Amino acid sequence: MEVLVLEIEDPGCFWVAMKGCGPYTVDEIEYENLNAEMNQFYHKFYKEVDEFKPVAVEEGQICVVFSEELKCWCRAVIKSIMYCMDYYKMECFLVDYAKYVFVKPEDIRVALEAFMQIPYKAKKCRLYRTKPVTLHIDFCENTTKMLPAKRWDSAATLYFQNLLKATTQIKAKLCALEGDTFDVFLYVTIKDEKVCVNDDLVTKNFARFEEAKENTGSSADYQENQTSLSVESLPVKIVNPALALRAVLFQEKASTNLETGLAVSSSFLEEAYQRSSTDLNENTASIVKAIPSSPFKENTTVQADSLQQFLNSDPLKTHIIEDDHQSFQSLSEERNFVFLSKKIEPSSVLETAPLYDDLKKELTRKNFLGPNFTESYCWPPIAQGYDVVAISYEGNDPFLYIPPVLTFLQLGKCYKALPSSGGPLALIVCPGWKKAQLVFDLLQTYKRCSRQLHPMLIILGQNEEEARSVKIRGCEVIVTTPYSLLRLFKHYSLLFRRLCHLVLDEAEVLLSEAAEQVFTILDYYKKAAVIITRKQQEYSLHQIVAVGTKWNKCMAHLMKEFMNDPYIVITAMEEASICGNVQQVVQPCTNSERTAVLLKILDFAHNNLQKVLVFTDSVNEAEMVHKALKSNSIFSLKIHKENKFNFKSILEQWTKKYSFGTHIVLVLTDDCMPSLGITDATCVVHFSLPSPGIFGQRLHCMSDNFCNMIEGSSAGRESAKSVTLLTEGSTCHAIGILRYLQHAEAEIPPELRDFTAKMVEAEEDKKFSRPLCAYLKMFGNCKNRTVCPDRHQINLQVDVSQNTVDKIIQTPGYVTILPLHIVNATNYFGRIVDKQKDQYTILAKEINEYYKKPSNKISAKKVEKLAFYGLCEKTDFHRIQVVEISPKEEENVFFNVKIKYIDEGRTSRVQSYHLLHLPERFQCLPPQAVEFVVCRVKPIDNEVEWNPKVTHYIHHKIKGKLHEAKIVHTLGNTAWVDPMVRVTRLSDLKISVNEYNVRLEILSTGLGTDNPEHITQLQKSYRHVKVFDHAQNLEPLSTKEDSAGPENVSNPQNMSIQENSTENSNSSITFENHSCSGVAQTKEAEDSTLHQRKWFYPEIKWFQNGETVTMKVKIASIADCKYEFSKEKVVFSAYSGDRFYLADMELYQYILPEKSTCVVKDKEAIIVLEKEKKGEWCKLLKNKNPHVSFEHCEDFEDDSSFPIGTEKLFRAAAAAESDDSSEYSETESDE
């Protein structure tokens, strides 16, 4: 192919741009379009540096940089970082221009994936098998000779450069690829004479030819290398065998021959070609045996007759693909099972996959290693236009359906009978905008290797005008969500007119969260299909594909009503058993009762053939169970690794035909399953519980008896049954079993439900150190609690931080806030501004004045975690705190650290040498950053995250602008605000104008909806509040009263909010002489009133003797009591009905926590504290707490009634509790 030389280092390293058509060439127009799009994008968002600036930079990182020389944005790789006194530069290699440039940090941007789809224009090359030589002079013998050299001589490089400059045309012949370097023969045309540069350098004694390496290594090694390269060969039309190696160009590091069939004068090249051809032919038969990610195991011999037997076997419901030999195999090996409704011949190699050639080339170029096991079964029926339901652990991967659907869409003649316009050919419905964006990005990636499909991503809000403005003319593939699709359909009644392919991505999520919308869409699709078929008087293609990770009961209805003889592909056996209507039974029992329970289960009372497998986890357990069954006259077989010699006879007895009423039981261990290959069991008993992966393999043993969900259960045949014996030794599996039973809609034993409830609470307690769930804060609940790693209960020790901003406590009502860091549409970080005298404004001015003097810019000598420093950003200086230092980084002189801007809330990564020493006087003011959450609004359509459109809109509207807000709830350093309004004051007219209300602005986008239960739902997490720390900040934990007086309000008394008005908020004008009460009244007029929840403080009486202090906490009907002792503190909390009581007491002197105790009765709790030092206390607490009443009553009760010693006290109090347990008082007041 013709090339253009871009840069030359030497004959062993130069860069070229390829021209014309070829396997590694891209049209020049595409590069021009890419450059135009990049420049437009990065110029447009040049001011939003924080959004597109990389968090950290390192050598080898791919990025986009601005070249001062080229005056444009370019793709680049960072080669090195140069550190100077107070700045640093990066040396970058421009991958499309083969230029090295130095770039400042501010000219570096994150490389978006959309701009990295096209391969680099500059291809690194070297002359094929052409190595440098040097002149060696032997002064002793007075001789000279040419010897191999490691580096190219400068004369050779100069000659090479001059040769290429003098040429009128340069062509390259690709011979091999090693890493990212192309080995080429280079041909130049000089004065109409064609010269091979490789040969010319050798002729001029600048180089030598390197012969083939067959003498340097064994032929077996070379042959093995060639074989491994041949396995994943690209499925293109092979001109000669060497072309088959093209697939691994981007996967293997070894050099691969790529002879193209052109005549070559060099003898060693012809030799290489012959060797490549021979190796490929000799190893063609072994390609099928060693397919990576295929059902066949590597390094094992698969007999040809076994393979043929499998391919020609009867269309069974399930297949397990494994070796035919009978031996015991390790269950640690990856084993693949598949449940099929009809026979499918899998395509395990990309070469044989039913995809069009251009797509295969593109997948190969992008290092695609598939198809994986599930894809190998899904692709063939989808590519042929059949209806498919696929359930797999990888069921959320769009690659299960995108390649075969794109392949079918290339068959343009299949759609000629359809109307020429009016709607898409394919519709992909995703459960949310985030997944839809992912699918759309994949379609964009692979659209250039297919005909023009013009895919569209359509995410619509509730604004009808937005739906009307959508133009779908010419679009053949739409990616959307069910809600957005129905909104679009209201305005495009012909949307389903041409639709042939309907894909339901993550079908189990769609059918559980939007079942009504999905079946409405299916109804429209079905009706449109009937109309089109009648008009054409012939069958037209209508395909439905549903993929997911779990089986959903609605899928049976989907297949019966809307699909035509679908293919069912399930590679998750637990889901296959639910699909096959396997009866799930859990029998709780003790470990000692298992044998008796098993015998009861095996007490057969029916006449059907019963083939039962009893799984045990050890040889001894298998022997014990087998002996127990025989002693009870139950016909039983056993198999485990120690009696493998009976394997053949055991298998014969199991597989022979039995008459009705026969009962056969086989006791076995899990390691026997692979060799037995049993699929016809009617019942599986889990005598011992295995790991989740093995559990599915056990269920597979009943796969022949799974019910057909399309045809229904066969008449007269009982469904298969899975029985699990749940003992005290299998507690670690309890939660998993409960969730599986809930998913299968099976009967759940009460014992299991009660036990797992405690386990779930214990699991939540383990999240003690995790942050409070962001979804709980933003929306009041978390949809994915079972998998969410964060905490969902209030924890006073964590949530009520010591460094809570004082302004949250001091100004509980209306405040002026300044959002500085926008996380999403309703979550921001910023400051509370005091308009009278803002301390931070004064401090910031002092800090900037201080650092203006160069002598004060002292770099931090030692960077420590959690320490405070100064940092310069452009012209401003900030207070920051180091929050993370990687252990590996600390070994370097300069290293990256994660920092937090303590007065803004945002985080970033910087080099350690940028940190400045921060004087103590600048650290006195506490961190000013506060987290704000806008209340009572959430995303539409059950989404869990805000659409970026809303976040981007709010970001540009509110960032850096003062807003008036009412704090309705606080927790630690987080304040929930409702409303939050931008108020403009016109001082000349003495009026204020409400420009906008943030909540209403979100609702106006159509992508947000009302969430009236936000705070109420959040407060439910207080029900099980964890009390481990001080209670001095109790007041800010409670919901804020509306009665905040003017003296406590930092903003002017003029803010009026009219949320219920449908008019533009700019029309809301109020005069300054209005009182604050009007604001409260306006707020009360809104659509919901917050439910108030307060804390109550119990009545406590105390007395003492020389060794102990006794306290009586008076609370009626104590429930959910918790207490915590430390050396100098006592924290006590409890419920009484709906009231929550809490006392956090800092003691006057030290106690012994380990010897202190608390005994709870119905009307009071008795706390006995063991003093560390004997003697009288003059008071109980260091500081009197006005919310708790204490009384020093030494004669309150005779000391003799409270024996010294916590153990005696516990017994005495427990006895007293049993005596008056019937007492109950409803008259006591604890307020």
Side-chain angles (χ1 to χ4, degrees):
M1 66 182 71
E2 188 175 356
V3 298
L4 173 66
V5 177
L6 301 175
E7 184 68 21
I8 299 173
E9 286 189 10
D10 54 50
C13 182
F14 56 96
W15 283 267
V16 304
M18 298 180 178
K19 297 182 178 181
C21 300
Y24 306 106
T25 60
V26 176
D27 197 320
E28 184 66 25
I29 297 177
E30 292 199 39
Y31 284 115
E32 293 175 3
N33 293 338
L34 173 67
N35 291 334
E37 290 173 4
M38 278 202 306
N39 282 285
Q40 182 182 5
F41 179 86
Y42 289 106
H43 276 307
K44 181 179 179 181
F45 295 100
Y46 186 80
K47 294 182 180 180
E48 281 87 48
V49 176
D50 293 338
E51 291 189 28
F52 300 101
K53 191 174 181 181
V55 176
V57 292
E58 57 186 4
E59 293 182 5
Q61 181 175 336
I62 300 171
C63 57
V64 174
V65 302
F66 185 80
S67 170
E68 293 290 347
E69 179 186 353
L70 301 173
K71 301 297 181 185
C72 65
W73 293 92
C74 311
R75 301 186 295 178
V77 175
I78 298 176
K79 290 297 184 183
S80 63
I81 304 175
M82 296 181 62
Y83 299 100
C84 302
M85 183 66 68
D86 56 352
Y87 70 98
Y88 60 98
K89 285 186 175 182
M90 272 69 69
E91 184 186 27
C92 300
F93 179 72
L94 307 183
V95 295
D96 294 319
Y97 301 93
K99 289 179 180 290
Y100 285 91
V101 296
F102 284 98
V103 180
K104 299 177 182 177
E106 54 265 30
D107 289 334
I108 298 180
R109 298 291 182 269
V110 173
L112 299 185
E113 186 178 355
F115 297 142
M116 305 304 296
Q117 305 303 319
I118 299 177
Y120 301 151
K121 185 177 181 180
K123 306 290 193 297
K124 188 178 181 181
C125 300
R126 65 186 175 197
L127 298 181
Y128 184 55
R129 286 193 184 174
T130 307
K131 302 299 179 183
V133 296
T134 187
L135 182 66
H136 176 74
I137 302 174
D138 191 333
F139 291 98
C140 297
E141 298 182 5
N142 197 26
T143 60
T144 62
K145 57 183 177 180
M146 304 300 293
L147 294 178
K150 294 183 179 179
R151 298 180 180 177
W152 284 93
D153 187 82
S154 58
T157 302
L158 182 61
Y159 178 81
F160 180 68
Q161 290 174 339
N162 292 335
L163 193 63
L164 297 184
K165 286 180 182 178
T167 185
T168 57
Q169 187 182 46
I170 304 175
K171 288 190 176 183
K173 187 170 113 177
L174 180 61
C175 301
L177 175 70
E178 184 171 1
D180 61 347
T181 305
F182 292 83
D183 288 339
V184 299
F185 272 98
L186 210 58
Y187 297 91
V188 297
T189 303
I190 303 176
K191 296 180 181 180
D192 297 328
E193 182 181 351
K194 197 170 187 179
V195 178
C196 176
V197 177
N198 306 56
D199 292 337
D200 192 55
L201 288 176
V202 173
T203 304
K204 299 292 194 301
N205 286 327
F206 287 119
R208 64 181 178 87
F209 278 127
E210 182 185 56
E211 295 296 327
K213 295 183 179 180
E214 63 265 27
N215 298 327
T216 61
S218 67
S219 60
D221 292 340
Y222 182 83
Q223 186 175 15
E224 181 181 351
N225 183 43
Q226 293 292 317
T227 302
S228 66
L229 294 175
S230 302
V231 169
E232 298 179 8
S233 56
L234 184 71
V236 298
K237 185 178 180 180
I238 299 179
V239 177
N240 60 60
L243 281 178
L245 305 178
R246 186 181 297 165
V248 293
L249 290 178
F250 295 91
Q251 300 175 21
E252 298 290 337
K253 294 294 181 184
S255 179
T256 311
N257 292 327
L258 294 173
E259 171 60 37
T260 60
L262 300 177
V264 181
S265 58
S266 305
S267 59
F268 69 87
L269 187 60
E270 295 175 356
E271 177 186 346
Y273 168 77
Q274 292 172 1
R275 182 186 296 109
S276 174
S277 302
T278 304
D279 290 340
L280 193 71
N281 291 332
E282 291 177 354
N283 291 286
T284 300
S286 66
I287 291 177
V288 178
K289 302 176 187 176
I291 298 169
S293 302
S294 73
F296 302 100
K297 297 178 182 176
E298 295 185 32
N299 304 321
T300 57
T301 304
V302 181
Q303 302 295 335
D305 56 346
S306 300
L307 178 62
Q308 194 68 25
Q309 180 182 358
F310 167 74
L311 294 176
N312 295 331
S313 61
D314 294 333
L316 300 175
K317 286 188 178 180
T318 58
H319 303 276
I320 174 171
I321 305 168
E322 56 184 347
D323 299 336
D324 191 51
H325 63 283
Q326 296 176 350
S327 63
F328 289 79
Q329 301 167 14
S330 172
L331 286 171
S332 62
E333 297 179 13
E334 183 178 352
R335 292 172 48 77
N336 294 314
F337 298 87
V338 60
F339 172 84
L340 302 173
S341 60
K342 293 185 288 185
K343 178 185 174 183
I344 300 174
E345 292 192 13
S347 298
S348 304
V349 193
L350 188 59
E351 181 181 8
T352 60
L355 310 179
Y356 63 101
D357 289 346
D358 288 342
L359 180 57
K360 290 179 183 178
K361 293 176 185 177
E362 185 70 12
L363 290 172
T364 302
R365 192 177 68 82
K366 293 189 176 297
N367 303 329
F368 180 70
L369 302 178
N372 60 31
F373 182 73
T374 308
E375 290 166 351
S376 68
Y377 281 92
C378 290
W379 285 4
I382 295 177
Q384 296 176 54
Y386 292 108
D387 292 341
V388 175
V389 173
I391 307 296
S392 167
Y393 300 121
E394 305 87 20
N396 55 2
D397 185 358
F399 255 80
L400 281 178
Y401 60 83
I402 285 181
V405 169
L406 285 179
T407 297
F408 203 101
L409 287 170
Q410 303 311 302
L411 306 175
K413 59 184 179 181
C414 296
Y415 310 108
K416 285 184 178 180
L418 297 174
S420 58
S421 63
L425 294 175
L427 183 62
I428 301 175
V429 182
C430 302
W433 68 262
K434 205 166 188 178
K435 183 58 179 292
Q437 183 69 58
L438 171 65
V439 173
F440 177 73
D441 290 342
L442 285 172
L443 291 175
Q444 290 288 85
T445 300
Y446 294 100
K447 73 176 183 179
R448 68 187 190 88
C449 59
S450 66
R451 68 183 183 86
Q452 293 299 317
L453 300 173
H454 305 288
M456 284 184 66
L457 173 65
I458 298 178
I459 304 296
L460 297 175
Q462 295 173 334
N463 294 344
E464 293 192 3
E465 194 60 39
E466 184 183 9
R468 291 193 191 97
S469 63
V470 175
K471 306 296 182 185
I472 61 174
R473 182 176 296 275
C475 168
E476 296 195 354
V477 181
I478 288 180
V479 184
T480 185
T481 64
Y483 295 94
S484 295
L485 181 62
L486 292 178
R487 292 181 190 122
L488 181 66
F489 182 71
K490 288 181 181 179
H491 304 281
Y492 288 90
S493 57
L494 299 179
L495 187 63
F496 296 91
R497 184 183 181 191
R498 303 175 68 240
L499 189 62
C500 295
H501 310 273
L502 176 60
V503 179
L504 303 180
D505 191 297
E506 294 188 38
E508 80 283 3
V509 180
L510 289 171
L511 293 173
S512 61
E513 297 183 1
E516 181 182 349
Q517 289 75 17
V518 170
F519 283 114
T520 301
I521 293 169
L522 288 167
D523 282 331
Y524 289 146
Y525 181 43
K526 186 176 181 180
K527 292 175 182 176
V530 172
I531 294 172
I532 292 174
T533 303
R534 287 175 182 172
K535 287 184 177 181
Q536 295 178 357
Q537 298 298 320
E538 59 179 304
Y539 175 76
S540 59
L541 173 67
H542 288 94
Q543 180 186 35
I544 299 176
V545 176
V547 299
T549 57
K550 292 184 176 181
W551 179 262
N552 185 287
K553 62 180 181 180
C554 294
M555 290 180 181
H557 179 68
L558 168 67
M559 292 188 295
K560 290 178 182 177
E561 298 298 326
F562 301 100
M563 290 186 170
N564 180 26
D565 193 20
Y567 282 80
I568 302 175
V569 180
I570 306 179
T571 56
M573 283 301 107
E574 298 88 345
E575 303 304 318
S577 69
I578 297 176
C579 169
N581 201 27
V582 174
Q583 183 183 357
Q584 300 289 342
V585 178
V586 173
Q587 184 66 53
C589 61
T590 63
N591 200 51
S592 59
E593 296 173 341
R594 282 191 301 171
T595 304
V597 172
L598 175 64
L599 293 173
K600 187 177 180 180
I601 293 170
L602 298 179
D603 186 13
F604 303 108
H606 39 70
N607 296 323
N608 292 336
L609 173 63
Q610 294 292 317
K611 303 179 82 171
V612 182
L613 295 177
V614 180
F615 284 98
T616 60
D617 64 356
S618 66
V619 173
N620 291 337
E621 193 173 78
E623 290 287 349
M624 182 269 292
V625 172
H626 177 66
K627 189 178 295 183
L629 295 179
K630 288 188 67 176
S631 64
N632 283 270
S633 303
I634 296 176
F635 177 61
S636 171
L637 306 171
K638 68 175 179 181
I639 186 70
H640 51 72
K641 61 184 179 181
E642 292 186 4
N643 71 337
K644 59 184 178 182
F645 300 107
N646 297 330
F647 180 88
K648 188 174 181 180
S649 62
I650 295 295
L651 198 58
E652 285 178 354
Q653 292 185 66
W654 178 270
T655 55
K656 72 179 183 180
K657 292 185 178 182
Y658 292 95
S659 59
F660 283 101
T662 305
H663 306 143
I664 178 171
V665 179
L666 174 59
V667 182
L668 72 162
T669 52
D670 290 321
D671 52 5
C672 302
M673 279 192 294
S675 304
L676 290 170
I678 293 175
T679 58
D680 62 343
T682 59
C683 179
V684 164
V685 178
H686 308 280
F687 194 79
S688 294
L689 281 174
S691 62
I694 304 301
F695 185 78
Q697 294 185 32
R698 289 180 176 182
L699 296 176
H700 174 264
C701 295
M702 301 183 290
S703 56
D704 286 357
N705 292 302
F706 289 176
C707 296
N708 189 316
M709 294 303 295
I710 303 174
E711 300 174 359
S713 301
S714 300
R717 189 180 71 179
E718 290 189 5
S719 62
K721 180 186 291 187
S722 169
V723 182
T724 302
L725 304 185
L726 186 64
T727 69
E728 67 275 16
S730 51
T731 55
C732 58
H733 299 285
I735 294 180
I737 292 174
L738 173 69
R739 290 172 181 164
Y740 183 65
L741 292 177
Q742 290 172 337
H743 176 43
E745 298 185 354
E747 182 180 352
I748 301 175
E751 302 94 327
L752 176 62
R753 196 184 295 276
D754 296 340
F755 178 73
T756 52
K758 297 176 182 178
M759 289 191 67
V760 169
E761 186 176 349
E763 286 292 321
E764 190 66 32
D765 289 341
K766 290 180 182 178
K767 300 177 182 179
F768 169 78
S769 60
R770 295 289 305 172
L772 189 64
C773 175
Y775 299 106
L776 187 68
K777 290 197 287 187
M778 286 192 298
F779 310 127
N781 58 23
C782 177
K783 287 177 61 178
N784 302 312
R785 285 200 177 206
T786 56
V787 295
C788 179
D790 292 333
R791 184 165 41 86
H792 300 91
Q793 291 180 359
I794 304 301
N795 185 313
L796 295 185
Q797 185 177 17
V798 177
D799 296 321
V800 184
S801 57
Q802 295 283 357
N803 60 350
T804 299
V805 177
D806 293 336
K807 292 178 183 177
I808 297 183
I809 303 171
Q810 296 168 0
T811 56
Y814 292 97
V815 294
T816 300
I817 67 175
L818 179 66
L820 297 170
H821 174 54
I822 312 303
V823 179
N824 56 48
T826 55
N827 188 205
Y828 332 120
F829 284 88
R831 292 191 293 109
I832 296 177
V833 179
D834 187 345
K835 291 190 175 181
Q836 303 300 323
K837 185 179 179 181
D838 190 59
Q839 292 180 329
Y840 175 75
T841 303
I842 299 171
L843 177 68
K845 185 177 180 180
E846 292 176 357
I847 291 175
N848 280 277
E849 289 292 336
Y850 174 81
Y851 282 121
K852 277 184 179 179
K853 299 179 181 179
S855 59
N856 290 335
K857 294 181 182 178
I858 304 171
S859 296
K861 294 181 180 179
K862 185 178 181 182
V863 177
E864 297 178 341
K865 187 176 180 181
L866 302 182
F868 295 95
Y869 302 94
L871 178 69
C872 178
E873 269 192 349
K874 295 182 180 178
T875 59
D876 296 326
F877 291 86
H878 303 269
R879 300 191 301 168
I880 63 97
Q881 182 182 32
V882 174
V883 294
E884 183 182 311
I885 304 176
S886 173
K888 295 181 180 179
E889 293 274 8
E890 287 181 315
E891 302 172 0
N892 303 326
V893 178
F894 302 111
F895 51 89
N896 269 315
V897 294
K898 185 178 180 180
I899 62 169
K900 180 178 180 179
Y901 295 78
I902 61 174
D903 300 312
E904 295 184 13
R906 60 190 171 100
T907 59
S908 179
R909 284 190 176 272
V910 298
Q911 288 290 326
S912 58
Y913 62 81
H914 285 307
L915 303 184
L916 303 175
H917 170 70
L918 186 68
E920 287 291 335
R921 70 176 185 272
F922 296 145
Q923 300 182 31
C924 295
L925 185 68
Q928 296 296 293
V930 178
E931 183 182 17
F932 299 106
V933 179
V934 174
C935 299
R936 298 190 302 119
V937 62
K938 63 181 179 180
I940 60 171
D941 303 342
N942 294 321
E943 294 277 6
V944 295
E945 294 186 37
W946 284 107
N947 191 301
K949 294 179 184 177
V950 194
T951 300
H952 187 71
Y953 173 71
I954 295 298
H955 176 276
H956 286 278
K957 199 166 192 70
I958 72 171
K959 185 177 180 181
K961 299 177 183 177
L962 292 175
H963 293 74
E964 309 301 330
K966 181 180 179 183
I967 298 178
V968 296
H969 193 75
T970 63
L971 180 62
N973 216 36
T974 303
W976 282 260
V977 295
D978 184 19
M980 174 179 168
V981 181
R982 168 69 171 168
V983 178
T984 301
R985 291 174 178 79
L986 306 177
S987 56
D988 294 340
L989 301 177
K990 294 186 178 182
I991 62 173
S992 297
V993 178
N994 295 346
E995 287 190 30
Y996 56 81
N997 179 317
V998 175
R999 177 175 174 273
L1000 293 181
E1001 288 295 310
I1002 295 173
L1003 293 173
S1004 70
T1005 64
L1007 295 169
T1009 188
D1010 193 36
N1011 183 19
E1013 299 298 318
H1014 185 174
I1015 297 298
T1016 307
Q1017 290 292 329
L1018 177 67
Q1019 288 176 333
K1020 288 182 179 179
S1021 56
Y1022 284 83
R1023 179 64 187 173
H1024 303 287
V1025 63
K1026 301 299 176 184
V1027 183
F1028 293 109
D1029 204 5
H1030 65 289
Q1032 62 186 12
N1033 288 327
L1034 285 180
E1035 197 60 34
L1037 275 172
S1038 62
T1039 303
K1040 302 301 177 185
E1041 299 280 3
D1042 285 348
S1043 59
E1047 67 277 10
N1048 296 327
V1049 180
S1050 62
N1051 64 302
Q1053 305 167 3
N1054 62 355
M1055 186 171 64
S1056 175
I1057 315 301
Q1058 299 178 359
E1059 286 204 26
N1060 294 330
S1061 173
T1062 58
E1063 297 177 0
N1064 191 301
S1065 60
N1066 287 326
S1067 63
S1068 175
I1069 300 178
T1070 59
F1071 288 88
E1072 289 190 356
N1073 58 2
H1074 285 192
S1075 65
C1076 186
S1077 61
V1079 181
Q1081 291 172 2
T1082 306
K1083 179 66 182 67
E1084 289 173 2
E1086 293 180 352
D1087 47 325
S1088 67
T1089 301
L1090 296 175
H1091 177 69
Q1092 305 295 314
R1093 180 181 294 256
K1094 294 184 178 180
W1095 304 89
F1096 296 89
Y1097 303 89
E1099 178 187 359
I1100 298 177
K1101 295 185 178 182
W1102 73 286
F1103 52 93
Q1104 64 174 325
N1105 57 30
E1107 297 180 356
T1108 63
V1109 172
T1110 303
M1111 294 188 293
K1112 281 194 170 186
V1113 185
K1114 310 291 285 184
I1115 302 176
S1117 304
I1118 296 179
D1120 199 10
C1121 174
K1122 291 181 174 60
Y1123 51 87
E1124 184 78 10
F1125 300 129
S1126 63
K1127 194 173 183 180
E1128 56 186 6
K1129 292 184 68 176
V1130 174
V1131 181
F1132 176 88
S1133 68
Y1135 275 92
S1136 177
D1138 290 334
R1139 293 183 178 183
F1140 178 64
Y1141 292 86
L1142 176 64
D1144 188 330
M1145 297 165 283
E1146 192 171 2
L1147 301 172
Y1148 173 65
Q1149 292 187 9
Y1150 293 155
I1151 63 171
L1152 299 174
E1154 65 278 3
K1155 293 186 178 181
S1156 301
T1157 189
C1158 176
V1159 178
V1160 179
K1161 301 172 65 177
D1162 182 54
K1163 295 191 296 181
E1164 64 181 6
I1166 302 173
I1167 300 174
V1168 177
L1169 307 176
E1170 189 82 14
K1171 297 178 180 178
E1172 186 179 68
K1173 293 181 181 180
K1174 294 182 180 180
E1176 297 293 322
W1177 288 8
C1178 63
K1179 57 181 180 178
L1180 179 64
L1181 304 180
K1182 279 187 178 180
N1183 302 302
K1184 186 174 182 180
N1185 190 327
H1187 299 291
V1188 182
S1189 62
F1190 297 95
E1191 184 178 347
H1192 188 282
C1193 300
E1194 293 191 24
D1195 58 348
F1196 179 75
E1197 196 169 330
D1198 188 5
D1199 290 351
S1200 61
S1201 63
F1202 289 91
I1204 298 174
T1206 57
E1207 185 176 355
K1208 293 179 181 178
L1209 172 67
F1210 182 87
R1211 292 173 181 172
E1217 181 178 6
S1218 62
D1219 292 338
D1220 57 9
S1221 61
S1222 60
E1223 294 182 10
Y1224 183 79
S1225 174
E1226 296 181 353
T1227 61
E1228 187 166 339
S1229 175
D1230 297 299
E1231 284 196 45

